[in-house]
Amino acid sequence: MKNVAAGVCLVAALTLSTVASAQAAVPVGDPTAYTSYPAVQDPGASAAGYFQPYWFDDQGAHIQAHGGQVVTAEELGVEGGDVVTGSEEGRTVYYWYGEDRTNGYYGSPGVHAYKSYDTLNWTDEGVVMRGVSTAADLESDYFDALYDTVDDAGQPRTERIEELNYHLNTSDAADYTAIFERPKALYNDSTGQWVLWWHSDGQTTPGGSMYARSMAAVAVSDSPTGPFRLTGAYRMPNRTDYKACISAAVPGQARDMTVFQDEDGTAYIAYSSEENRSLYIAELDASYTNVTHTTDVDMASAHQYSEDGRFPYLFADGSAEAPVRGEDFQIVKECGMLEAPALFQHGGKYYAVASGATGWAPNPQTYYTADNILGSWIRGVETGDANENVAYNAIPEGGDGLLSVGDTRRTTFGSQSTNVLDLGGGRFVYMGDRWNSGAADSTYVWLPITIGEDGRAEMRNPSAEDPARWADGWDASYWDDKGRGTEIWSVVDDRLPDTVEPGEDFSAALPATVPVEAGGTTTEVAVTWSATSFAERGSQTITGTLAADAAFTAGRTFTRTIEVATPGVVNLAPDAAVSASSRADLAATVVDGNVKGKGWDDWLSGGVYPKASWLSFSWPLAQDVDEIVVHTYKDGAGATWPSTVSAQYLDATGAWVTAGASVDLVQDASASAPVATLDVSSLPATSGIRVDLATATNTWQSISEVQLWGAEGPTELCAAEGTSVSASFHQTQYATMPAENACDGSASTSWSTWAAAKQDQATFTVEPAEAHVVDRVGFTNIEGTIASVGVEYRDAEGTWHATTAQAVAAGANGRPTAISFEPVLASAVRITFATPGSYLKIPVLGVGGATADVVPTVSTRCAGHKVQVMTTVRNAGDDATTVRVETLYGVKTLPVAAGGSASAAFPVKATSAPEGELTATADGASVTTGYAARTCG
């Protein structure tokens, strides 16, 4: 924003001087000097001040450099580099090139240029690459001097004019309208020429698509202020399977583009191809006016233009003339629907910022990085993270690869990328456009980018981040306390505690320094921390802020997570089967551990929103739930969260009963999404919790995460790693519903025994990876009729024994059945379902492993031709105890030290013994285990 103290209030000047018309005219205002970059507000596209503030040049006209780029140079020669540093009369000089939209989207005069010494105040250098509105314009002295369009006799060279008119006529009344977009400039030290590239598009048939050509055009000049002469308009290199993402792709397509000049002087062009599905980078030749592999044939038959008769060799087809992927070109992202690339480099890492392809509507932009510009690119800086291959608009707040921080509208602060300006020393300026459908009053969004740990790029809006300091605009001092430097850095060891308890003061455990690696050197750097305690359970984020050192200013920040947990209390939600009243496909996102990102909402098509919705969580084994925490999500400009959150639970009969707890939430659209906490500690153990959501407004309700905190329940063996399951029968007709479906944790898949010939009985066997103490099973049947259920267990030697759960009646269909029995040490569990004349269908089944400090093992042996029953009792507890061991052959009492074991032998006094059981009891808790029959010779 312009320095208000220096002159007339900017807003008032705009109101009085903006000319209203069907196509917005160029706004004019006070050309008083700027002392800061314009403050960016993001009130939403429908707000009256959305397309403000304007940015005025030295003549008081709103700058016409849309889709552009800033480079620096000195007029009498320059050095290589993406932003070429030079001086003019001792001052650095900058040039800003961009689309001139004086006449609106069509009829563009061409590429406009502005000059500055501070990147704040700009002098108009005019249109440096001109388009035309009629073919006759090309007969003027200006164009004749560039293209020799008139012969020595004063006669127009008709064929040449026709060819140039096809590529330069921007009038929408032309038979073949041309479009100038995203102009970018390079200086070539070896040729002494300035090279201008742009996205050159337009019609290929009268009245046809305005984006049919999809080319990149190039022009050259001896001066940064032109005039630039068109030398080519080309399709660009493609992989041979360029239709892999969409069959409508055309050969060599090049739309939104940019250029990049590396430190060694090598230049590259980046372009959106394959109908914006894939983002490419290709190396330019030594002159910067073409790619490295060319041919004298227009391989696309697309009316390309070439002053010297050379065209890009389009396909990486393996021939000697063809470009090679990884050597001459690379694809940053395949099938990503990206456009508007902007490239920059920092600390040896290359960055590609890109927008989603959503027309004039802004979106949450992403970025990719690579250590080699033609090597492998990844989203963000973390290899293989959860956001690597999600859609650009699905990256959660703070997720790797999301450029903007604090971008509440998810619009990159209402902008689309066009360039990243490197001011040196780790200071980068994002240059973006806020498009009014290509009108002359479209505005600019310039914002600072900082480079965080491991090279993470983070763009913030200073006026929203710190309005007290930056409400009137921001300047280069923004980076002074943001830890700027020229290297990629990382904290080698954060030295933080892994786990703390809620409310615990862990300040004494926080390190005063941490080792930080940068540029191959590790140093100890002082650090301060954002928190010394956390009230809420779960993964909590703590931020460390580094002090200044020899290479960085103060202010580098890094984040880590600390688990806040109460011993014995866990989040039960991730192990539950989750369902929802609508949009069931999104239900599982509310237990994915991300309390910040978008999870589930109850949106329905047609603009009709449910006033009441629910999310349910169920387990085959009953759980003790004490607290429900619902993290809501702000999904747009409104208050997209419930007015009231309440809960129900499943009672022993399988009926939903109110939990007697609810929380009211204020639906304030200007507030952050709230968190609702419900105390349900008085509930009995339950197999299900339903969270009820009600809204008082006509909008959808969005939830990030639901946490269900409670006592650590029994180990669920059915779905445990290493467990194998089997059934005596499963449905194979029409659909296959095997036993595994009952142990996959999903309520949408089932084990079924339905068949035309009914099975009167079916068994289900669960074999964990190692023996466990087991004391319960649970399931919910949804079809058929189960008459009764019995449970057996298998001993270590493979013999099956009955538990105390036999002939148990099953619950009604759709309601849980919970079966308990005396604890047994089992190598496997077998459940027998009696279904005479019927069948069963069970979506989720559970086998509960109990905890026991004292666990016996038993075997038999021969001693003097007589059988003995042998037992060893192990005490895993912290205290010594006395164990009573009972068998058919006697009872013994064994003292067992903490962590120790004791053994005993029970003589059978016979040459044979049938299979049997042994029970060990300590401190009132018993565990039974079995042994096989034995005969001695």
Side-chain angles (χ1 to χ4, degrees), residues 73 508 572 735 800 837 882:
L572 302 167
W800 289 96
T882 299

Side-chain angles (χ1 to χ4, degrees), residues 27-119:
V28 295
D30 186 353
T32 305
Y34 293 84
T35 59
S36 60
Y37 295 113
V40 174
Q41 305 300 329
D42 187 16
S46 61
Y50 183 65
F51 293 107
Q52 292 181 13
Y54 301 125
W55 198 341
F56 299 115
D57 64 19
D58 63 318
Q59 302 301 309
H62 178 49
I63 293 170
Q64 293 300 302
H66 307 286
Q69 174 201 37
V70 171
V71 295
T72 67
E74 63 180 338
E75 292 183 341
L76 298 178
V78 293
E79 298 176 357
D82 176 40
V83 175
V84 186
T85 303
S87 64
E88 177 182 286
E89 300 176 355
R91 297 180 293 176
T92 300
V93 58
Y94 301 84
Y95 289 96
W96 184 0
Y97 299 90
E99 305 163 16
D100 189 321
R101 295 299 174 199
T102 298
N103 303 323
Y105 187 64
Y106 298 110
S108 172
V111 179
H112 212 121
Y114 297 83
K115 184 170 75 172
S116 175
Y117 299 104
D118 57 10
T119 71

Side-chain angles (χ1 to χ4, degrees), residues 122-462:
W122 296 92
T123 300
D124 186 358
E125 296 292 333
V127 178
V128 299
M129 172 66 208
R130 292 190 184 179
V132 300
S133 58
T134 68
D137 293 342
L138 290 163
E139 300 177 30
S140 68
D141 292 343
Y142 179 92
F143 289 104
D144 181 35
L146 288 173
Y147 302 106
D148 190 20
T149 53
V150 179
D151 64 21
D152 293 341
Q155 296 301 308
R157 302 184 189 275
T158 304
E159 186 175 336
R160 183 171 300 175
I161 289 173
E162 181 180 347
E163 180 74 358
L164 291 166
N165 185 61
Y166 180 84
H167 291 282
L168 298 178
N169 193 330
T170 63
S171 171
D172 59 347
D175 288 338
Y176 301 97
T177 302
I179 294 173
F180 281 74
E181 291 187 340
R182 301 189 169 271
K184 305 293 187 292
L186 297 164
Y187 178 76
N188 191 304
D189 191 43
S190 63
T191 65
Q193 286 190 316
W194 286 81
V195 182
L196 186 74
W197 283 87
W198 68 94
H199 168 207
S200 176
D201 226 312
Q203 295 168 309
T204 57
T205 58
S209 168
M210 288 292 183
Y211 282 89
R213 298 183 197 178
S214 50
M215 297 181 186
V218 60
V220 297
S221 174
D222 294 330
S223 167
T225 55
F228 282 86
R229 183 185 82 254
L230 176 73
T231 62
Y234 306 125
R235 293 280 178 87
M236 288 283 120
N238 263 179
R239 53 181 172 169
T240 54
D241 58 342
Y242 63 91
K243 293 189 176 185
C245 301
I246 183 171
S247 61
V250 299
Q253 191 174 62
R255 287 188 173 153
D256 281 7
M257 49 69 61
T258 193
V259 294
F260 174 78
Q261 193 174 24
D262 213 342
E263 293 175 347
D264 64 359
T266 307
Y268 302 86
I269 182 170
Y271 48 96
S272 185
S273 189
E274 301 173 9
E275 292 296 331
N276 295 335
R277 263 66 180 183
S278 297
L279 185 62
Y280 281 71
I281 294 176
E283 184 177 340
L284 295 176
D285 65 11
S287 71
Y288 300 170
T289 60
N290 212 322
V291 293
T292 55
H293 291 255
T294 60
T295 175
D296 58 4
V297 177
D298 180 350
M299 297 180 70
S301 299
H303 202 162
Q304 298 181 80
Y305 175 81
S306 177
E307 186 179 70
D308 64 4
R310 304 299 299 174
F311 302 93
Y313 194 102
L314 293 188
F315 303 113
D317 58 17
S319 65
E321 301 87 357
V324 176
R325 182 171 178 174
E327 297 179 9
D328 304 294
F329 77 95
Q330 187 54 275
I331 305 177
V332 175
K333 175 62 178 176
E334 296 179 5
C335 307
M337 207 63 194
L338 300 174
E339 62 182 16
L343 303 183
F344 67 101
Q345 186 267 356
H346 174 77
K349 190 182 290 290
Y350 297 89
Y351 294 76
V353 174
S355 164
T358 53
W360 301 116
N363 52 66
Q365 294 180 194
T366 186
Y367 71 94
Y368 291 79
T369 63
D371 296 325
N372 178 342
I373 196 168
L374 294 181
S376 298
W377 289 77
I378 62 171
R379 172 176 277 160
V381 297
E382 299 175 18
T383 302
D385 73 300
N387 301 312
E388 184 64 39
N389 292 306
V390 302
Y392 64 89
N393 56 0
I395 307 174
E397 174 72 14
D400 185 45
L402 184 67
L403 179 65
S404 297
V405 177
D407 179 24
T408 57
R409 293 185 182 277
R410 303 273 295 175
T411 61
T412 316
F413 303 110
S415 74
Q416 185 181 45
S417 54
T418 180
N419 187 50
V420 174
L421 170 60
D422 185 354
L423 294 180
R427 300 173 302 166
F428 298 94
V429 180
Y430 164 92
M431 294 172 54
D433 288 288
R434 181 170 289 176
W435 288 111
N436 185 14
S437 301
D441 65 345
S442 297
T443 49
Y444 306 100
V445 173
W446 285 30
L447 293 171
I449 294 176
T450 56
I451 305 298
E453 187 177 20
D454 298 320
R456 180 185 293 264
E458 299 176 319
M459 184 180 79
R460 293 174 173 83
N461 183 357

Side-chain angles (χ1 to χ4, degrees), residues 497-506 531-542 560-571 627 707 709:
D498 294 327
T499 305
V500 298
E501 292 193 34
E504 175 188 349
D505 183 350
F506 54 86
T532 57
S533 66
F534 292 107
E536 294 183 359
R537 298 185 185 96
S539 297
Q540 301 294 340
T541 298
I542 187 170
R560 295 293 187 269
T561 57
I562 295 180
E563 288 300 316
V564 182
T566 301
V569 177
V570 297
N571 182 12
E627 185 178 74
Q707 298 165 328
W709 297 102

